[in-house]
Amino acid sequence: MGENYLKNIVNDFMVLLETSCAVYERNGDYAIGVFSSGWCKFMDNSSFELCKTKDLNKALCSGEWLCHESCWTDASQKAMDKGEPVDIQCNGGIHLYAVPVFSDDVVIGAINLGYGNPPQEFSTLQMLAKRYNVDADQLLQIAREYKTRPPYIIDLAKKRLESAAELIGLIVQRNLAQQELTLAKDKAEESDRLKSAFLANMSHEIRTPMNGILGFAELLKEPELDGNQQQEYIRIIEKSGARMLNIINNIIDISKIEVGLMQLNVKETNINDQLRFVYTCLKPEAEAKGIQLLVNTPLVCEEPILKTDTEKVYAVLTNLVKNAIKYSHSGTIEIGYSVIADNDRSILELYVKDEGIGIPIERQEAVFERFVQADIADTMARQGAGLGLSISKAYVALMGGEIWLESVEGEGSTFYFTLPFQQTTTN
């Protein structure tokens, strides 16, 4: 709310009383004020002189600001704490009337005004003059120039201040509603954009393996094929079919997650066996790109048995390792875990660390969203439907854990996820 806006709201009683008005936030911070009273203007300018600045924020932070340091803040704080108007006497001799501002029945601030005659006693004025470093005779002249207002005018100004507080609350409420609508609109537009990008990507993803299946199935009809060519075509068809099946499975999983039908199949699993199985399955794929795949299973003397959904753990690990392979050109990829004590329970923290291209910091949260790839803006985006990490996040949450990443662009990424762990041993 700007000063001109506040003037428009409180102008009527400012004219009635030749007074000053200020707004405070719920935490007690001074927000904005309008000073039309000659007395308050003089005190205000004197405070700026003491602070050696005309900048309000600097003045408030200087420790020398006097004009609203105590009584105005005190009146506002009392009104906000009580949830009703309060009337106190200011140290400068006038009265302050403060009214809480509500938005949706919640106190969000206070607005107050000054009223009443400035002090006339010379001893009081001398004290104020010393405090504000001004001339006592000048203070006396300003005090005597103030025109006394009858009680009914003061009562009318108070009622209008209460109406102003209600109006400010409605304005804030409307602005918050507008912000929520704008945010919802932005989220809806972003969701539409992501879904459009997803559909375009899915069209490519489904068409590519389908073309592979249909094309090489047609080539198999050639009568002059030798055995090696035939086996090569069959291998390509199988690979394309597996890719197609993976895409379809991902879409089905996302659909189940969306409607809350995804369930856990909890049973005992040996985490070392899980990691070794992933290592064995994906080692050839890594080595084909010249990448060394490493596995770290620190609990070598015991059988680390985990009660969880084995297939979902395998799916998360496989997805993270496959992503690491996809976005790495060389170096190593390490999969492993550590056991972390957390109060009265233990947590298994699994990780997949690569030396790949890394993820820009502004994309690190987005990669876990549905239909998003870290390189979605890249017209040469790598293959993938942008569902793997969102499915992994949902799986980990279902199993009672968390997933996150640490990454430096150009140096690599480490994905972590946790699972509740109650270690048992087998004979």
Side-chain angles (χ1 to χ4, degrees):
M1 178 182 293
E3 183 173 319
N4 290 334
Y5 206 27
L6 181 62
K7 282 181 179 179
N8 290 336
I9 294 175
V10 303
N11 186 62
D12 53 357
F13 63 74
M14 294 281 284
V15 173
L16 281 173
L17 295 183
E18 190 189 346
T19 186
S20 299
C21 178
V23 177
Y24 284 78
E25 297 176 10
R26 181 66 186 93
N27 60 6
D29 288 345
Y30 171 74
I32 195 168
V34 180
F35 308 103
S36 65
S37 162
W39 177 262
C40 288
K41 277 184 178 179
F42 184 81
M43 292 297 190
D44 196 49
N45 290 330
S46 299
S47 285
F48 278 123
E49 291 294 330
L50 286 174
C51 300
K52 297 180 175 57
T53 179
K54 288 293 183 180
D55 184 279
L56 180 59
N57 290 327
K58 290 181 180 178
L60 290 171
C61 295
S62 69
E64 300 294 330
W65 181 254
L66 296 176
C67 198
H68 307 103
E69 65 167 345
S70 57
C71 42
W72 288 75
T73 304
D74 183 45
S76 295
Q77 197 64 58
K78 285 180 178 178
M80 290 186 288
D81 290 343
K82 290 183 176 181
E84 60 185 37
V86 298
D87 196 324
I88 70 169
Q89 186 170 12
C90 171
N91 293 332
I94 64 172
H95 284 264
L96 296 176
Y97 185 67
V99 179
V101 176
F102 288 86
S103 177
D104 277 338
D105 298 324
V106 177
V107 176
I108 59 170
I111 181 171
N112 51 29
L113 63 80
Y115 73 92
N117 298 333
Q120 303 290 325
E121 302 81 5
F122 193 70
S123 59
T124 302
L125 294 171
Q126 281 184 314
M127 179 190 68
L128 289 173
K130 183 177 181 182
R131 186 181 186 198
Y132 284 84
N133 194 28
V134 294
D135 183 68
D137 291 329
Q138 189 177 11
L139 275 185
L140 178 60
Q141 180 182 349
I142 295 171
R144 287 177 176 175
E145 288 175 353
Y146 184 83
K147 296 179 181 179
T148 300
R149 266 67 174 175
Y152 75 90
I153 292 292
I154 294 174
D155 290 340
L156 180 60
K158 288 181 178 181
K159 286 182 172 59
R160 291 187 175 179
L161 183 72
E162 292 168 7
S163 298
E166 185 176 352
L167 178 58
I168 291 172
L170 291 173
I171 292 170
V172 171
Q173 189 172 327
R174 185 192 64 187
N175 288 342
L176 289 175
Q178 184 63 44
Q179 290 174 13
E180 290 176 358
L181 284 173
T182 302
L183 181 61
K185 177 175 173 289
D186 291 344
K187 289 181 71 175
E189 289 176 350
E190 176 70 2
S191 178
D192 286 343
R193 184 187 74 84
L194 293 176
K195 288 180 180 178
S196 296
F198 166 72
L199 290 173
N201 197 22
M202 287 299 297
S203 175
H204 168 76
E205 286 298 311
I206 293 174
R207 191 165 55 245
T208 301
M210 182 61 73
N211 287 338
I213 293 169
L214 295 176
F216 284 95
E218 186 69 25
L219 289 175
L220 281 175
K221 297 178 182 179
E222 295 292 332
E224 297 179 0
L225 282 180
D226 61 32
N228 289 335
Q229 287 178 314
Q230 195 176 57
Q231 290 302 313
E232 176 65 14
Y233 293 167
I234 292 172
R235 186 188 66 79
I236 293 172
I237 291 173
E238 289 176 339
K239 185 176 180 181
S240 298
R243 181 175 168 187
M244 176 76 78
L245 181 62
N246 182 63
I247 293 169
I248 293 170
N249 285 336
N250 279 345
I251 295 173
I252 292 171
D253 284 347
I254 279 292
S255 300
K256 287 183 178 179
I257 291 166
E258 288 276 2
V259 297
L261 294 178
M262 185 62 68
Q263 295 180 341
L264 291 178
N265 180 21
V266 178
K267 58 184 178 181
E268 290 189 350
T269 183
N270 185 310
I271 195 62
N272 284 353
D273 290 346
Q274 284 271 65
L275 264 64
R276 294 189 191 106
F277 184 66
V278 172
Y279 169 80
T280 302
C281 291
L282 298 179
K283 181 181 178 184
E285 187 176 338
E287 290 180 343
K289 290 188 66 173
I291 300 168
Q292 184 181 10
L293 187 60
L294 306 174
V295 62
N296 176 24
T297 53
L299 298 177
V300 293
C301 299
E302 303 170 75
E303 294 289 346
I305 304 301
L306 191 66
K307 284 189 175 183
T308 190
D309 190 315
T310 305
E311 292 303 316
K312 288 182 174 55
V313 174
Y314 171 74
V316 174
L317 285 170
T318 301
N319 180 63
L320 294 180
V321 176
K322 278 182 170 288
N323 276 351
I325 294 171
K326 183 192 300 186
Y327 293 105
S328 298
H329 303 299
S330 60
T332 63
I333 295 172
E334 181 180 325
I335 55 176
Y337 64 85
S338 59
V339 179
I340 300 173
D342 182 23
N343 296 327
D344 296 330
R345 63 175 187 151
S346 294
I347 293 175
L348 198 69
E349 184 178 278
L350 298 101
Y351 66 87
V352 176
K353 181 179 181 181
D354 66 60
E355 297 174 351
I357 63 173
I359 301 173
I361 190 166
E362 68 273 11
R363 300 297 298 164
Q364 290 182 13
E365 289 187 14
V367 296
F368 292 107
E369 296 176 8
R370 292 164 196 176
F371 318 127
V372 174
Q373 292 173 302
D375 54 358
I376 193 171
D378 187 354
T379 57
M380 299 297 291
R382 293 164 176 80
Q383 68 180 32
L387 293 175
L389 287 176
S390 65
I391 292 173
S392 296
K393 180 180 179 180
Y395 282 178
V396 171
L398 275 173
M399 293 184 288
E402 297 178 354
I403 188 168
W404 70 96
L405 72 94
E406 294 174 359
S407 184
V408 177
E409 191 172 5
E411 297 183 15
S413 305
T414 303
F415 282 80
Y416 299 90
F417 70 96
T418 59
L419 296 173
F421 180 52
Q422 185 173 358
Q423 184 174 326
T424 60
T425 58
T426 59
N427 296 324

